[in-house]
Amino acid sequence: MDATIVVLGGDGIGPEIVHATRRVLDAVALRHGHTLRYDEQLIGGAAIDATGQPLPAATVEACRRADAVLLGAVGGPKWDDPRAPVRPEQGLLGIRKALGLYANLRPVKVYPALADASPLKAERLVGVDLLVVRELTGGIYFGQPRLRERREDGSERAVDTLEYTDGEIRRVVRLACQLARQRRGLVTSVDKANVLESSRLWRQVAIEVAAEYPDVKLEHQLVDSAAMRLVTHPAGFDVIVTENMFGDILTDEAAVIGGSLGLLPSASTGEGRRGLYEPIHGSAPDIAGKGVANPLGTMLSAALLLRYSLGLEAEARAIETAVERAINEGARTRDLGGTLDTTAMTDAVLARLG
Ligand code: IPM
Ligand code: MG
């Protein structure tokens, strides 16, 4: 297999964890006889500094030509001025939209060896294996905002719009049902239908879609109670499908159940095979440049890249197994209570690649 991967290091720890992950991808490619070509492009704050834009046209074009995109993280205090005309995050939202990546898969797995690192009691972690399917190109992230305005009485107002069409809901719920079929067959659709009109549409469409999948059981849960259940009974979930912002919030919560935000990978997919793969964590400006970031979330994202965009299941598993073995055998970065730096953790994974 000959494939081109666009690499978007981005900001903060992004370039470090992506560099570490490339070492692992190269080792896997070498072992299995594949050629992976990397095309490094700019996004986020780094792109603003170099070009004035968070998502240069060259980046979008390169991504369209590539088989897959691997991304580190974007954002940081340097670009955080609320009055700035452009923001790093616009680059990330822009590339998701430009590539039509409407579904973001965030699998939450608990490694028993990390039970100590979890804020939850060990008995609550037994059997936790869930997949959040987050809608990624609609909702309040993309509805027309009304920027801040000063009103006649001197007060200020800003407006965001939470908007969904039935088609946007249907395609992501359908994907959730298909994925549930390959798992335990339960889809929990999370909404706020007791308050929001868009959630009532979401719920109605979810019911219609689930009717096409008689082997899948659909349940509905309000987002506030879902947030609670994630920490009281996380093992009760199989596939969670939800709108963009609820999914953003719930997945940070779900991630720490496993011990660290640094472990959770994600895959963003659309119609074709080309996807974008990134850890769910941010750019961690506090530790950027120190070489101590946990690269595992990015490595596990690269495994998803091999599986979903390149169809390389054995190679994906090789990375996942190596990560699991490294964890089981005690490899720990600082976020997991250990002392390994990024390079040492990467070496630990490389040493266990089958
Ligand atoms: C995520 C991040 C992004 C999001 C930010 C950086 C725009 O939090 O991927 O979860 O909100 O989608
Ligand atoms: Mg987030």
Side-chain angles (χ1 to χ4, degrees):
M1 149 96 48
D2 212 326
T4 301
I5 299 173
V6 165
V7 175
L8 305 174
D11 308 318
I13 59 170
E16 303 164 41
I17 53 180
V18 160
H19 171 79
T21 297
R22 273 175 65 165
R23 290 182 58 208
V24 173
L25 277 171
D26 283 338
V28 171
L30 188 67
R31 276 183 176 67
H32 290 83
H34 305 302
T35 306
L36 299 180
R37 270 185 311 274
Y38 304 102
D39 180 359
E40 285 197 32
Q41 296 288 337
L42 293 166
I43 196 166
I48 293 175
D49 288 353
T51 71
Q53 293 302 323
L55 183 62
T59 299
V60 178
E61 281 156 27
C63 290
R64 289 217 168 99
R65 282 195 306 268
D67 297 292
V69 182
L70 181 69
L71 185 137
V74 298
K78 181 173 175 195
W79 307 279
D80 257 353
D81 178 354
R83 283 177 304 272
V86 287
R87 300 182 53 83
E89 291 78 5
Q90 291 166 341
L92 182 54
L93 301 188
I95 194 66
R96 289 170 177 171
K97 192 77 168 180
L99 300 179
L101 305 173
Y102 62 79
N104 180 228
L105 317 185
R106 299 187 160 186
V108 178
K109 187 175 147 67
V110 167
Y111 299 91
L114 289 180
D116 282 355
S118 174
L120 298 191
K121 295 194 189 87
E123 69 254 28
R124 295 205 169 157
L125 301 176
V126 178
V128 172
D129 176 13
L130 64 99
L131 172 67
V132 180
V133 180
R134 167 187 175 193
E135 200 291 328
L136 202 60
T137 52
I140 202 163
Y141 275 56
F142 289 92
Q144 189 62 44
R146 267 197 280 155
L147 300 178
R148 269 207 234 174
E149 59 190 12
R150 169 106 31 213
R151 300 196 291 182
E152 269 172 27
D153 65 0
S155 61
E156 270 194 303
R157 179 172 66 167
V159 177
D160 291 292
T161 309
L162 203 181
E163 191 177 321
Y164 270 109
T165 63
D166 62 340
E168 288 173 316
I169 301 168
R170 188 163 288 116
R171 62 188 181 182
V172 73
V173 175
R174 203 166 262 153
L175 178 64
C177 289
Q178 281 158 10
L179 291 164
R181 263 187 174 161
Q182 301 158 26
R183 298 171 48 98
R184 300 193 301 283
L186 174 65
V187 171
T188 306
S189 172
V190 171
D191 62 34
K192 188 70 185 172
N194 54 347
V195 176
L196 301 177
E197 193 59 30
S198 56
S199 280
R200 287 190 279 274
L201 177 63
W202 183 284
R203 197 173 274 218
Q204 177 200 314
V205 173
I207 291 169
E208 287 166 15
V209 170
E212 300 165 19
Y213 298 85
D215 46 337
V216 169
K217 182 175 173 335
L218 173 72
E219 62 176 21
H220 306 279
Q221 189 149 34
L222 297 172
V223 62
D224 46 354
S225 104
M228 180 185 69
R229 195 173 147 212
L230 262 177
V231 290
T232 53
H233 298 99
F237 290 110
D238 180 15
V239 174
I240 294 176
V241 63
T242 191
E243 68 98 34
N244 204 341
M245 189 160 76
F246 296 162
D248 178 47
I249 297 168
L250 291 179
T251 49
D252 265 32
E253 186 191 359
V256 293
I257 293 174
S260 171
L261 196 56
L263 289 171
L264 216 66
S266 87
S268 301
T269 66
E271 292 310 334
R273 275 194 115 171
R274 188 195 315 105
L276 182 147
Y277 301 84
E278 54 172 323
I280 83 144
H281 62 71
S283 60
D286 53 322
I287 56 166
K290 297 190 177 150
V292 297
N294 181 348
L296 297 183
T298 316
M299 287 175 192
L300 293 170
S301 301
L304 298 178
L305 182 159
L306 295 176
R307 173 173 297 127
Y308 295 132
S309 282
L310 306 187
L312 300 175
E313 177 62 30
E315 292 80 344
R317 263 178 215 265
I319 296 182
E320 289 164 351
T321 307
V323 166
E324 182 152 15
R325 284 182 54 202
I327 289 173
N328 286 344
E329 289 162 30
R332 301 277 185 280
T333 38
R334 295 204 318 203
D335 53 310
L336 297 171
T339 56
L340 294 189
D341 64 10
T342 308
T343 305
M345 182 55 116
T346 307
D347 291 339
V349 173
L350 284 170
R352 291 167 178 87
L353 270 181

